[in-house]
Amino acid sequence: MTQAPLSPSTADSTADWQCKARLYDYRQAANPVRRGLTEPIGYRHWDPQLHASGPSAVIPLDLSAELGCPGPATSPALAAHFLRILAGEGLKAACQATSSLFYVLEGSGSLRWSGRELSWSQGDLIALPCGDAPLLEALSTSVLYWVHDGPLLQHLGVEATTARFEPTHYPAALLEANLQELLADPSAAHSNRLSVLLANADLPASRTVTHTLWAMLGVVPPGAVQPPHRHQSVALDLIIDCDPGCYTLVGSDLDEQGRIRNPERIDWQAGGAFITPPGHWHAHVNESGRTARLLPIQDAGLHTYLRSLDIRFSGAPAS
């Protein structure tokens, strides 16, 4: 069979197929997560003063310039924000994402989304799939913590078109009842973490709040020193309530006793937030006289699906 000759336009395109090809020595390029190339995720925290006053606004916790990714982004896959909404006003939480999580730090109001309406109040958590931009209207001046997976979609160059789970409301009373039941269990005293994981019946395999996001309502009792643990997901931690003397120790390595070597200390403030980078050991400490509460939100739903979460516990004291 005779093959027809390539036309000039087809032949000329051969170089175009190769012009972006690059080859590297594996020894020099196998780990591109380093300064000046793929920037590592660093330690950052945000004080509650960021949302304590001012007009109604979406306040992004934006590290996109440092991470070298389109903004706003708090990690390569997630974007966190505070929403401050004055009484009688509203905000649209617009994003191109498969999952959005809202936690009500203070206030009350209503949410309108895709023809549906929901009332919310302090301590509630709401998970939404892709769809219309939700409108949040405040009855009293309110602050919400909002995390979505838009940066992941931007990196992949895709749009969210199919809802992977039903919109779900976790009322504060339901969360509190489950948390108190856990704390009343005698075996809880020996647990590494005292927390309630939020899950969705549409996602039985991962037991996560959405197919990409993971969320946990946890407490650190007074005097507690939680042993270090780590995971490959990024944690965007919201401090719900605490007194001075609560903090997190975080670092990349453990010593021979299983304690964090040369840890960075992140002091907690109620209503503040901080990042725990992937793969870094972290331990929570409460030296105050009152129970502290926190809400870590992670991209662990995605890592669970990829079988890459790799959560590990040191089994050693934190200090």
Side-chain angles (χ1 to χ4, degrees):
M1 183 176 180
T2 302
Q3 182 175 357
L6 294 175
S7 67
S9 60
T10 305
D12 291 343
S13 69
T14 302
D16 294 336
W17 284 82
Q18 299 177 11
C19 68
K20 295 298 179 69
R22 300 290 185 274
L23 298 172
Y24 294 101
D25 184 330
Y26 173 86
R27 296 168 297 176
Q28 300 172 0
N31 183 15
V33 181
R34 56 181 185 264
R35 298 294 179 190
L37 197 56
T38 298
E39 292 289 335
I41 298 172
Y43 303 137
R44 287 291 298 270
H45 70 277
W46 291 269
D47 296 336
Q49 288 76 18
L50 189 65
H51 56 73
S53 61
S56 297
V58 177
I59 306 166
L61 310 185
D62 186 17
L63 301 179
S64 57
E66 298 176 23
L67 297 172
C69 58
T74 315
S75 79
L78 303 179
H81 317 68
F82 286 113
L83 304 179
R84 176 175 170 82
I85 314 174
L86 298 183
E89 297 184 1
L91 283 177
K92 276 198 172 183
C95 64
Q96 177 58 235
T98 75
S99 304
S100 284
L101 240 62
F102 300 89
Y103 180 81
V104 185
L105 262 174
E106 59 183 77
S108 62
S110 62
L111 178 148
R112 301 176 191 272
W113 176 83
S114 296
R116 303 174 66 172
E117 185 171 352
L118 173 72
S119 295
W120 46 262
S121 57
Q122 184 174 359
D124 287 6
L125 188 144
I126 305 161
L128 296 181
C130 64
D132 298 338
L135 173 63
L136 296 115
E137 297 175 303
L139 289 174
S140 58
T141 296
S142 302
V143 176
L144 294 88
Y145 186 59
W146 172 36
V147 177
H148 65 74
D149 62 3
L152 174 63
L153 275 65
Q154 285 186 299
H155 176 67
L156 296 175
V158 298
E159 295 183 358
T161 58
T162 304
R164 295 294 310 280
F165 59 93
E166 289 291 323
T168 308
H169 178 211
Y170 302 81
L174 174 66
L175 296 174
E176 185 64 22
N178 278 265
L179 191 56
Q180 291 304 320
E181 182 179 349
L182 169 65
L183 296 176
D185 186 336
S187 65
H190 308 290
S191 299
N192 183 286
R193 296 291 189 270
L194 295 173
S195 308
V196 174
L197 290 176
L198 281 68
N200 190 300
D202 291 338
L203 307 164
S206 64
R207 296 184 175 181
T208 51
V209 69
T210 84
H211 61 303
T212 62
L213 301 182
W214 176 102
M216 175 189 87
L217 178 63
V219 301
V220 183
V225 179
Q226 295 182 339
H229 83 297
R230 70 175 213 182
H231 37 74
Q232 293 307 316
S233 52
V234 177
L236 307 182
D237 296 272
L238 173 69
I239 304 306
I240 297 172
D241 186 32
C242 72
D243 281 347
C246 297
Y247 56 91
T248 292
L249 300 175
V250 59
S252 57
D253 300 300
L254 297 178
D255 63 17
E256 294 76 10
Q257 288 75 43
R259 296 174 297 193
I260 300 172
R261 182 181 283 113
N262 300 320
E264 179 95 4
R265 173 169 165 160
I266 301 173
D267 287 287
W268 292 10
Q269 295 184 67
F274 67 94
I275 293 177
T276 303
H280 284 226
W281 295 96
H282 48 287
H284 304 316
V285 181
N286 184 351
E287 295 178 349
S288 79
R290 192 167 65 88
T291 295
R293 295 180 177 238
L294 73 161
L295 177 74
I297 299 175
Q298 305 177 21
D299 51 359
L302 176 63
H303 280 278
T304 299
Y305 177 72
L306 295 175
R307 281 69 168 177
S308 59
L309 182 58
D310 192 27
I311 184 167
R312 302 188 184 192
F313 300 85
S314 75
S319 59

